[in-house]
Amino acid sequence: MLPVLRLLLLLLLACPGSSAAGLGITARTLSPCYSADLRPASERLVSAVGCTVLLMIPPLKASEVVFWEYKAGPEEGVIVNYAFDRPANTSRPYKNRTRFNETDFSLQIVLQRGDDRLYRFRSESEATGWFQLRVVEPLSEPEIVGNSSVKAGGNTKLVCNVLEGKADLYWWKKNGELLLGSDHIQFVDNSTLCIVKASMNDSGYYACVVRNEVSQNETSFLLHVQNAANVVLPVILACVVVGSLAGEGWADSLPRLFGRLLHRRFQVFPVKSLQALGRCWKSSSVCFCSSSP
């Protein structure tokens, strides 16, 4: 049995175009390239759209013709073919974005979306194994969608959207500190932040951070939580102005009327406290309030 296996191995090694000799491609992404890993890799490399990768091979036996080839599913094709007696010939889809080195046979490619496929180098007598190149689109700066102002005690949510590229990870920060989930702070698919029963302490800058294999980006959003009592002030001012325009008689009764309305609508102050805002009168076109009953 062993002699038969040895014979088969020798046949494979001698077979033209065979990759049984252990030849392998080494590739790396050239700088700059977002936050992609720039270290050399064998068998598989992850890089980004718009970046340049360098494909390298070990020394081979002398050959008159060599090829760089690709494979995507059932589709196979030639990127570059080179014969020593004529210039390298580059196929149309790769023209103006590849650079073939006629000395060491290395190949540089400026990546596009469709370059996520397998690659190999082949001569008349030898061939490397297929090398997998994964091409990822870098992430654009995300945007946060939500209400910038919320009343204390209410619920609100902030949604983080990425317009270009696909994010693998989302996380949130508040004023530079990592946010953790709780009954008060909840995450939906990590891209949506929900704040339940917001309080004044929830005011601040919220940042959404997104990341994939080749890039990381973030944006911030200012959230302001209003004290529920703040909604009383505009109505009181309306009372004062209307009382001023209507005359002194109306000024005596309007505080009591608005006091009852505010208490029923907002339930923020006792009726007597609002009625104690006092009388309004008109003086030099400016309206004043006194605290007398």
Side-chain angles (χ1 to χ4, degrees):
M1 191 66 180
L2 287 176
V4 175
L5 292 176
R6 289 175 181 171
L7 178 61
L8 289 174
L9 181 60
L10 289 174
L11 289 173
L12 286 172
L13 292 173
C15 180
S18 171
S19 60
L23 297 174
I25 293 173
T26 302
R28 66 184 179 92
T29 301
L30 302 183
S31 178
C33 182
Y34 305 96
S35 58
D37 191 347
L38 302 181
R39 294 174 297 179
S42 59
E43 297 184 357
R44 183 178 186 271
L45 178 71
V46 179
S47 193
V49 172
C51 294
T52 301
V53 296
L54 173 63
L55 304 176
M56 300 169 288
I57 60 167
L60 298 176
K61 297 176 183 178
S63 177
E64 293 185 359
V65 183
V66 295
F67 306 86
W68 275 101
E69 301 174 323
Y70 71 86
K71 180 167 69 173
E75 177 189 358
E76 293 190 25
V78 175
I79 302 171
V80 176
N81 67 77
Y82 171 67
F84 291 98
D85 59 347
R86 59 181 184 270
N89 181 31
T90 304
S91 62
R92 182 174 297 177
Y94 290 90
K95 280 187 179 296
N96 303 320
R97 62 186 187 95
T98 59
R99 179 182 296 176
F100 176 71
N101 188 313
E102 298 178 1
T103 302
D104 61 10
F105 303 147
S106 63
L107 180 68
Q108 291 185 27
I109 306 176
V110 179
L111 298 177
Q112 298 178 352
R113 288 185 179 88
D115 292 333
D116 196 316
R117 49 184 55 173
L118 300 174
Y119 297 84
R120 79 170 179 179
F121 178 87
R122 180 172 62 85
S123 69
E124 293 178 304
S125 60
E126 296 174 289
T128 66
W130 289 102
F131 183 92
Q132 182 180 9
L133 180 59
R134 174 164 160 72
V135 181
V136 179
E137 187 171 3
L139 299 171
S140 62
E141 181 178 324
E143 64 174 10
I144 298 177
V145 179
N147 292 326
S148 59
S149 181
V150 62
K151 295 176 185 177
N155 300 337
T156 191
K157 69 177 180 180
L158 304 177
V159 181
C160 183
N161 294 324
V162 179
L163 301 181
E164 296 181 8
K166 182 180 179 182
D168 298 323
L169 293 173
Y170 291 82
W171 66 91
W172 291 83
K173 298 186 293 184
K174 179 193 173 187
N175 297 332
E177 299 292 331
L178 180 66
L179 269 180
L180 302 178
S182 64
D183 292 338
H184 178 59
I185 300 292
Q186 300 176 6
F187 302 104
V188 180
D189 297 329
N190 289 328
S191 61
T192 300
L193 167 66
C194 298
I195 303 176
V196 180
K197 295 182 179 179
S199 68
M200 301 292 289
N201 291 333
D202 292 317
S203 295
Y205 284 93
Y206 289 80
C208 170
V209 187
V210 293
R211 185 176 183 180
N212 64 13
E213 292 177 281
V214 297
S215 62
Q216 179 173 312
N217 221 328
E218 69 177 87
T219 192
S220 60
F221 183 92
L222 177 60
L223 177 67
H224 178 61
V225 181
Q226 294 181 338
N227 191 329
N230 289 347
V231 300
V232 177
L233 182 59
V235 183
I236 293 176
L237 291 176
C239 158
V240 172
V241 173
V242 172
S244 173
L245 295 175
E248 194 167 340
W250 278 91
D252 291 335
S253 59
L254 279 173
R256 293 183 177 86
L257 174 60
F258 276 92
R260 292 190 180 93
L261 291 175
L262 289 171
H263 178 67
R264 290 176 183 176
R265 175 64 181 86
F266 302 106
Q267 296 182 348
V268 290
F269 292 121
V271 176
K272 291 183 178 180
S273 297
L274 287 169
Q275 291 174 346
L277 287 172
R279 301 167 57 189
C280 294
W281 69 91
K282 188 175 182 182
S283 174
S284 301
S285 72
V286 180
C287 185
F288 301 93
C289 288
S290 69
S291 60
S292 58

